[in-house]
């Protein structure tokens, strides 16, 4: 580290490694989305937004709430690009927000904390056939094997509101649940204006990071 250069913390190094893995041999494109969603968008996905944080002064009608999941905006990315590509493979690492208080102070005269936020990793695979779910599984296995972590699949206890009930599984990395993989239901895809089959992977960044830090062969330190 050069003198005076800010030290990159462990989580940032881990995030950068995940990006390098997914953008490497699998050739996924990274996307960046605003942290906002809207009622109409979530209704099409059957998502209950009663606990979502609403913005006091939204800058647009389609940006009225803070997201609790990365999937809705990835669906928008696919819809915007589906006419240009037969297959789409994208990922995003971003923050999601909850209606409970977190640990970061608002600052100023307020004694309250900002809403709780955490990072999430989402992968989307879209294509004309029904093989997208197996392709998404392959990406999960590639990512975890690159970090020397084993993965198993378990029947979903809580299927996402937008998911196909018969095609959903929990991801058990070294025996610990770190997320889900699910197929977007045909009915939701139609309401959302998608003309392709789509599978999503949703991984909790913190759970994944802590797992690799404690169980993985690769260790992170200052």
């Amino acid at each position: 580290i050069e003198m005076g250069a800010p030290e990159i913390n462990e989580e940032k190094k881990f995030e950068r490694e995940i990006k390098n893995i997914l953008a490497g041999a699998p050739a996924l494109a990274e996307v960046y989305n605003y942290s906002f969603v809207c009622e109409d968008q979530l209704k099409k996905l059957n998502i209950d937004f009663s606990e979502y944080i609403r913005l006091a002064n939204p800058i647009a009608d389609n940006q009225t709430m803070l997201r609790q999941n990365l999937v809705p905006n990835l669906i928008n990315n696919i819809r915007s690009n589906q006419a240009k590509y037969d297959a789409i493979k994208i990922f995003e690492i971003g923050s999601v927000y909850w209606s409970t208080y977190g640990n970061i102070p608002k600052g100023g005269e307020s004694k309250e904390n900002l809403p709780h936020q955490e990072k999430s990793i989402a992968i989307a695979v879209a294509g004309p056939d029904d093989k997208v779910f197996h392709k998404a599984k392959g990406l999960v296995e590639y990512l975890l094997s690159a970090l020397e972590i084993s993965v198993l699949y378990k029947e979903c206890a809580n299927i996402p509101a937008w998911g196909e009930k018969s095609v959903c599984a929990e991801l058990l990395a070294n025996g610990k649940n770190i997320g889900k993989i699910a197929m977007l239901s045909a009915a939701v895809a139609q309401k959302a204006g998608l003309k392709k089959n789509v599978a999503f992977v949703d991984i909790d960044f913190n759970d994944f990071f802590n797992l690799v830090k404690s169980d993985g062969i690769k260790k992170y330190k200052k």
Side-chain angles (χ1 to χ4, degrees), residues 145-157:
S145 66
L147 296 167
E148 303 184 29
I149 296 287
S150 63
V151 60
L152 294 173
Y153 304 94
K154 179 184 176 183
E155 184 178 354
C156 254

Side-chain angles (χ1 to χ4, degrees), residues 10-12 14-16 18 93-94 118-121 178 203-211:
E10 295 179 22
E11 288 190 11
K12 284 292 184 183
F14 181 61
E15 179 178 339
R16 185 171 60 191
I18 292 173
I93 301 176
E118 55 191 51
K119 275 188 180 176
S120 183
I121 306 166
I178 61 167
I203 296 175
D204 185 294
F205 180 92
N206 290 333
D207 288 348
F208 192 22
F209 171 68
N210 290 331
L211 174 70

Side-chain angles (χ1 to χ4, degrees), residues 142-221:
Y142 181 87
L143 172 62
L144 269 66
S145 66
L147 296 167
E148 303 184 29
I149 296 287
S150 63
V151 60
L152 294 173
Y153 304 94
K154 179 184 176 183
E155 184 178 354
C156 254
N158 297 304
I159 299 170
W162 45 263
E164 189 68 55
K165 293 182 180 179
S166 59
V167 194
C168 178
E170 294 178 358
L171 304 177
L172 300 181
N174 284 8
K176 299 175 183 177
N177 190 332
I178 61 167
K180 291 184 176 71
I181 178 171
M183 193 84 173
L184 185 72
S185 77
V188 171
Q190 184 177 17
K191 286 195 292 184
L194 298 187
K195 298 179 180 180
K196 297 184 184 294
N197 295 308
V198 188
F200 290 101
V201 178
D202 186 13
I203 296 175
D204 185 294
F205 180 92
N206 290 333
D207 288 348
F208 192 22
F209 171 68
N210 290 331
L211 174 70
V212 172
K213 190 176 178 182
S214 60
D215 293 358
I217 301 301
K218 296 182 178 181
K219 301 294 182 181
Y220 295 84
K221 63 181 181 179

Side-chain angles (χ1 to χ4, degrees), residues 35-39 42 52-54 63-67:
S35 298
F36 312 117
V37 289
C38 67
E39 286 188 19
L42 299 180
Y52 275 57
I53 299 171
R54 292 182 177 274
Q63 298 180 350
T64 58
M65 295 178 285
L66 290 172
R67 64 187 179 184

